[in-house]
Amino acid sequence: MPRYVMTVRCADGPGIVHTFTAALLEAHGNILDNAQYGDPLTEQFCMRTRFESPITDVAEVRRILQPAVHTFGATFTVRDEDAHQRVLIMVSKFDHCLLDLLYRWQAGELPIEIPLVVSNHPDCAELCARYGVPYLHLPVTKDTKVQQEAVLRGLIAEHGIDFVVLARYMQVLSEQFCADFAGRIINIHHSFLPGFKGARPYQQAYERGVKMIGATAHLVTADLDEGPIIEQGVVTVDHSMDATTLSIMGRDVERQVLSRAVRQQAEDRLFLIGHRVVVFH
Amino acid sequence: MPRYVMTVRCADGPGIVHTFTAALLEAHGNILDNAQYGDPLTEQFCMRTRFESPITDVAEVRRILQPAVHTFGATFTVRDEDAHQRVLIMVSKFDHCLLDLLYRWQAGELPIEIPLVVSNHPDCAELCARYGVPYLHLPVTKDTKVQQEAVLRGLIAEHGIDFVVLARYMQVLSEQFCADFAGRIINIHHSFLPGFKGARPYQQAYERGVKMIGATAHLVTADLDEGPIIEQGVVTVDHSMDATTLSIMGRDVERQVLSRAVRQQAEDRLFLIGHRVVVFH
Amino acid sequence: MPRYVMTVRCADGPGIVHTFTAALLEAHGNILDNAQYGDPLTEQFCMRTRFESPITDVAEVRRILQPAVHTFGATFTVRDEDAHQRVLIMVSKFDHCLLDLLYRWQAGELPIEIPLVVSNHPDCAELCARYGVPYLHLPVTKDTKVQQEAVLRGLIAEHGIDFVVLARYMQVLSEQFCADFAGRIINIHHSFLPGFKGARPYQQAYERGVKMIGATAHLVTADLDEGPIIEQGVVTVDHSMDATTLSIMGRDVERQVLSRAVRQQAEDRLFLIGHRVVVFH
Amino acid sequence: MPRYVMTVRCADGPGIVHTFTAALLEAHGNILDNAQYGDPLTEQFCMRTRFESPITDVAEVRRILQPAVHTFGATFTVRDEDAHQRVLIMVSKFDHCLLDLLYRWQAGELPIEIPLVVSNHPDCAELCARYGVPYLHLPVTKDTKVQQEAVLRGLIAEHGIDFVVLARYMQVLSEQFCADFAGRIINIHHSFLPGFKGARPYQQAYERGVKMIGATAHLVTADLDEGPIIEQGVVTVDHSMDATTLSIMGRDVERQVLSRAVRQQAEDRLFLIGHRVVVFH
């Protein structure tokens, strides 16, 4: 039987779960997994439901669920679990996160498609070639950012990209671009935010003498390093480790935190509510 | 508005969530939190729902939900969130877990009542006195186990005990006692099960030269150290630490793992399905 | 045979270890444990050596080691391992760290003496009484800080205090006091520094939507929350936890991080080198 | 100035550190890092010293240190830090650990040489080719084990292999082979030993309902899964994860635990003392 993932988001209130589960019954659905959250700060409600149904056409499922959606004025998605989301990866020179994503994708660990990798440097072309993934070298300077992003927008449309992953892409995206793709760009920052924002966080960590370093995956907003946090991880360090050693140790954390965040987005587990990200594990 | 926690367990199948949410609507309930799981091994379904309702009498809520219960032949509970479960703590000489539970209870961190502490030794009497909790010294030998457990049974009935916590109680309960209170006794074992079952696990760990030690909270069954696992924790150790040092480090893990398990049971988050424990975090 | 702990700190250079181990041989010492570090930033060297010697008088041991000390112009200590350091604990109203330290001390887990607890509130008096530790209520306002600290200085001298532990003491010490006891005051801050400095870190963490919260033990300097870091710990959290829940979860981390830092100071494992703390685990 | 790593192992007793540091002074050495341990169970002493010396010929350094070695009948090594150890990697079909080691090696994160990868399957040939590492397909059956191992022995000699890494090599080595290369073969076992020895540990973990899974790097002995433990790691799991999901999550732990163990061996940080491994971090 086909399996589907439904997400619902609307103003909180009674009857939402009941109405949607009624609609699911109408679609002969059996719920496999359900998670929901009512946020006290924003009074927003969000729900993720995984279900199976004998109906094989997702459009038909969507049609059946539509009245429930209308009742609550909900933002709504339903997706065949096997129809993987399409991810554009952006990278600069550091390739550890990129390799990690490619490997997991190829090993079947990550339920995504990767139609394209874009970089402002040529360095990672060979790595992508090994995995049979198209690679586009798209240089950018301060002066050409608008044009570069116009190309990017074209590629996102052309390839039907669902979300973008910045896998150590060291360029700042324009405010407009961030706004237009709000909630659809994931970045990995190589520190435990809100500590060590900005450049050279491992050097900052070394100088501050911290005893743990970390990494943070977050949704990208125009306000750099202030994006809503998806996942974080840390590793214990000590005084004998210099900034270079910290950066090597940190790569492990970056890889894992980013791949977890990508998986969650790929499985429709993330909901941006106010400035906080709800993650249904 | 009063808040309630409902648990449902039955054979898996379509319509369960819908039927119960319909009943909740009838009770003017608004769902705050909902978690569910269908176990592929046993084909059992379980659900925990936290909701608020203007109805102030839990018996009335229960009455409204009863038809849904009947429909699915479900095991069912509903509890006013403020009506804390009543816990009997059993202890021998080590008092670190007991103190931790008493402190958290007194600080309002753990939503339980502690009407009684029972021990086969007199050592922890003073500690309980400090916290104003009655303490019963109930010695036991191989020959008196049946009688001692008869007294225990009486105390459990008399004090309306919901579940029992073995906070480093170093006696083995009888097979019959374990069977009669299946799913209602939580033990802390001072190793990362299934490693180092039996006596002196820290000594075993030292001799084996492990690089992490742990603790395991589990439901008690007649088969010692084979009970279904609720929670586990570890801490990193090294070659320089002898068995005594390991046991001191391990106490921290024991405390935390046990108190987490007690909280989960107290909040109706545990479901014993087959030989595995479902925990809705 | 008596066991001693020696610490040495001086400008880095060849021959230090050799000269001190020669002196130890002269004292018929056998090294049990040795750790050393040469800091590339400051070119400072530090060493901690644990040894046994048939000489039972620590003054005699010190006398034998003195020429080596002179050779390198070293800062030097040697202490009989059984002569525990004397710790003054300061606390305000939150008692979880205080209880933890008292329990570990009484259980023989922490090699310290606690001659006195000082607080700006009366709340923790009863807890200290239970453990037989003198408690002094020493209120303070902005206007009386100088006088209060004068009393503190007197107590530190009178009780032969080796170091001070701020176990959730919610007052800021004066710049002069911090300077005079530099390297001898340990504080626990309830965030993962440098994130969430200042007041109400759990509320800040909640609003920022972090996925891990932490605690930091640090040496106290006049620059609040900028003190050199000794130990850090974290715990994973999620969107459903409000600031109160975070603070309850954080208490566990605070307790553990602070007690680890106190142990390290008590065992002469900490060396403040520049603005970083070397910890020999 | 060249940097060297010296290891010393002998029966414990006074004067060892002093005698060796005297010899280091004679070699104009400056100690950068020193760690030592006296094992109470076996009364063995071991020491690792990292130092710099103006002498550029390691043989000359070795000659100067030789008298100290003789004095204590020590097992002794000294190595130019830049002369990387040579590692033979063995693999079967799972390639995640292999890729991880290759990547870290190529990125300069792991101070090793990899002259050869050997496998009983052809599957990983292409991966090795990408990294420019020779790959030998060396099939084995029960009946051909002796011959296969004879070839292996030849390769180890021919390529000057320092140690062997079993990166998910699913064949059992013969007792004789294990004995002949005692302390020089590192394996990764995909469970938190001593839990879940033997085959299919993730399936065992799933059925047992553990709440954490782990991986263990150990030295290989003839007694399968009983080898001395080098490193361990864990990750938290829950009831909803089946054995396949556990195995995917476990791969991350395997990769990290194995690469840490390889680094420690490569940096001469491991000492097998009795049945326990001393690791100088």
Side-chain angles (χ1 to χ4, degrees), chain C residues 195-215:
Chain C
F196 308 129
K197 297 174 200 172
R200 307 188 72 208
Y202 292 123
Q203 181 64 33
Q204 292 183 58
Y206 172 64
E207 285 166 10
R208 184 62 183 87
V210 291
K211 302 306 185 195
M212 285 179 152
I213 56 169

Side-chain angles (χ1 to χ4, degrees), chain D residues 110-164:
Chain D
L110 267 184
I112 56 173
E113 297 302 322
I114 307 177
L116 186 63
V117 173
V118 168
S119 177
N120 58 329
H121 291 285
D123 305 59
C124 298
E126 195 198 320
L127 173 56
C128 287
R130 286 182 201 164
Y131 284 87
V133 173
Y135 183 85
L136 183 65
H137 177 205
L138 201 59
V140 63
T141 66
K142 229 181 212 175
D143 296 338
T144 63
K145 183 168 289 186
V146 173
Q147 296 92 307
Q148 193 232 26
E149 289 187 353
V151 178
L152 259 182
R153 286 166 191 270
L155 293 166
I156 288 171
E158 178 192 337
H159 290 279
I161 297 301
D162 290 291
F163 63 96
V164 175

Side-chain angles (χ1 to χ4, degrees), chain B residues 36-37 39-41 192-196 205-214 218 225-234 236-241 275-281, chain D residues 36-37 39-41 192-196 205-214 218 225-234 236-241 275-281:
Chain B
Q36 55 180 85
Y37 178 66
D39 183 51
L41 287 184
F192 191 85
L193 290 175
F196 309 129
Y206 172 64
E207 286 167 10
R208 184 63 183 88
V210 292
K211 302 306 186 195
M212 285 180 152
I213 56 169
H218 62 90
D225 296 341
E226 293 291 350
I229 293 171
I230 303 167
E231 276 278 340
Q232 300 187 286
V234 291
T236 298
V237 299
D238 71 34
H239 59 269
S240 72
M241 299 164 181
H275 192 66
R276 299 161 71 239
V277 181
V278 170
V279 185
F280 291 132
H281 288 284
Chain D
Q36 54 179 85
Y37 178 65
D39 183 52
L41 287 184
F192 191 86
L193 289 175
F196 310 128
Y206 172 64
E207 286 167 10
R208 183 64 184 88
V210 292
K211 302 306 186 195
M212 285 180 153
I213 56 169
H218 63 89
D225 295 341
E226 293 291 348
I229 294 172
I230 302 167
E231 277 278 340
Q232 299 188 286
V234 292
T236 299
V237 300
D238 72 33
H239 58 269
S240 72
M241 299 164 182
H275 192 67
R276 300 160 70 239
V277 181
V278 170
V279 184
F280 292 132
H281 289 283

